[in-house]
Amino acid sequence: MESLRLGSILLGTNDPGRLRDWYVAAFAAVVTPSGFLDFGGINLLVDGRDDVARENVEPGRVILNFEVDDARAVTAHLDTMGVTWLVPLEERTDGLFATLLDPDGNYVQVIELNEEYLAAQDAARAIAGGTLARSRAFSGFSVDDIPAAREFYGETLGLKVDEEHGMLHVRLAGDRSVLVYPKPGHEPATYTMLNFPVDDIEQAVAALAGRGVRFEMYDYVDPKGIYRDEGPPIAWFRDPAGNILSVLQE
């Protein structure tokens, strides 16, 4: 089901005029032509009803939260209106919070969220909004000797390599790259870190062998180091740090 947008909130009361005027005075609401109170895109309708009590007997069931930039200034203004505070302004983990009663006894919170909370929310919204899906992600792996890695990837494999801040960006086809970074106590992974698709694996293996690349001679490969059973033909080799790479014929 497609996510829906909450259009408005209805606040039932015995005295809509009194309650509407109070919210306008307390929180500077914009009254729309249709009679709603617009609080920054969230519409509140204060409407007269004959099926509610004059005073809310369950005020904790629905609470209106007003997020403000300066909670101290807002609570000072509300003090001039003589409001009743259920919880005076206090600092909590996510910012400043205070709870008061409106004329019908409904709970209303004033909230000033702190920078840490807002940053976490921004990050969550970015992910939910697909920022990572649009991000040009790249992978990386470690080595124990950056100069040796630079020579291997740049000279032996013939790739373009940029070095910055003691790390390497190995440029790959298709405007992609992989980050190679130094790591104390580096231990190579037991899986393939980087695969290079080629048109002709025989030619690729021969060319790399001519450049000094030594292919892994597993039990299931042929004398050239090429695996030819299920899946595409593939041959594995290692960089100077022991990371496993491969060439495979698509």
Side-chain angles (χ1 to χ4, degrees):
M1 179 179 176
E2 183 180 353
S3 178
L4 302 179
R5 173 181 173 272
L6 183 64
S8 62
I9 299 171
L10 187 148
L11 197 59
T13 178
N14 287 159
D15 193 341
R18 176 190 64 157
L19 197 58
R20 186 183 303 112
D21 291 344
W22 185 87
Y23 275 97
V24 170
F27 296 105
V30 175
V31 182
T32 70
S34 55
F36 286 83
L37 305 182
D38 183 359
F39 293 102
I42 301 296
N43 289 330
L44 175 67
L45 177 61
V46 178
D47 196 19
R49 298 183 63 89
D50 56 11
D51 57 351
V52 297
R54 177 173 177 80
E55 184 173 333
N56 190 346
V57 296
E58 292 186 326
R61 185 175 292 273
V62 177
I63 301 175
L64 300 181
N65 293 321
F66 288 91
E67 296 181 13
V68 301
D69 295 329
D70 189 341
R72 290 182 174 86
V74 172
T75 54
H77 165 67
L78 293 169
D79 278 334
T80 66
M81 297 177 59
V83 304
T84 300
W85 293 102
L86 182 68
V87 179
L89 189 67
E90 63 181 10
E91 187 165 359
R92 302 179 189 172
T93 302
D94 296 329
L96 297 174
F97 290 75
T99 307
L100 63 140
L101 307 181
D102 75 7
D104 279 13
N106 299 303
Y107 288 172
V108 179
Q109 285 197 123
V110 174
I111 303 172
E112 180 185 338
L113 298 169
N114 58 30
E115 293 183 1
E116 292 80 3
Y117 179 90
L118 294 174
Q121 290 296 100
D122 287 343
R125 280 192 290 268
I127 293 173
T131 296
L132 295 188
R134 298 190 299 271
S135 175
R136 297 177 64 84
F138 60 89
S139 62
F141 54 85
S142 66
V143 297
D144 53 8
D145 188 332
I146 286 292
R150 183 183 182 95
E151 180 179 358
F152 178 78
Y153 286 98
E155 301 298 328
T156 303
L157 300 189
L159 301 172
K160 182 178 179 181
V161 179
D162 301 322
E163 185 170 355
E164 186 176 9
H165 305 302
M167 298 181 289
L168 306 179
H169 281 280
V170 179
R171 306 298 176 181
L172 306 175
D175 194 28
R176 292 175 297 170
S177 67
V178 62
L179 179 68
V180 178
Y181 54 92
K183 180 182 178 182
H186 161 80
E187 293 185 8
T190 57
Y191 52 87
T192 306
M193 301 300 300
L194 199 57
N195 297 290
F196 293 92
V198 296
D199 295 328
D200 187 331
I201 195 168
E202 297 272 357
Q203 184 182 57
V205 167
L208 289 171
R211 289 173 171 261
V213 173
R214 297 179 59 184
F215 286 88
E216 297 294 296
M217 302 307 293
Y218 301 121
D219 294 340
Y220 42 81
V221 301
D222 69 11
K224 295 181 180 179
I226 303 174
Y227 173 74
R228 302 178 185 273
D229 200 351
E230 297 179 0
I234 183 170
W236 293 272
F237 58 100
R238 294 178 183 267
D239 71 4
N243 296 309
I244 303 173
L245 314 175
S246 84
V247 286
L248 71 160
Q249 183 172 311
E250 293 184 304

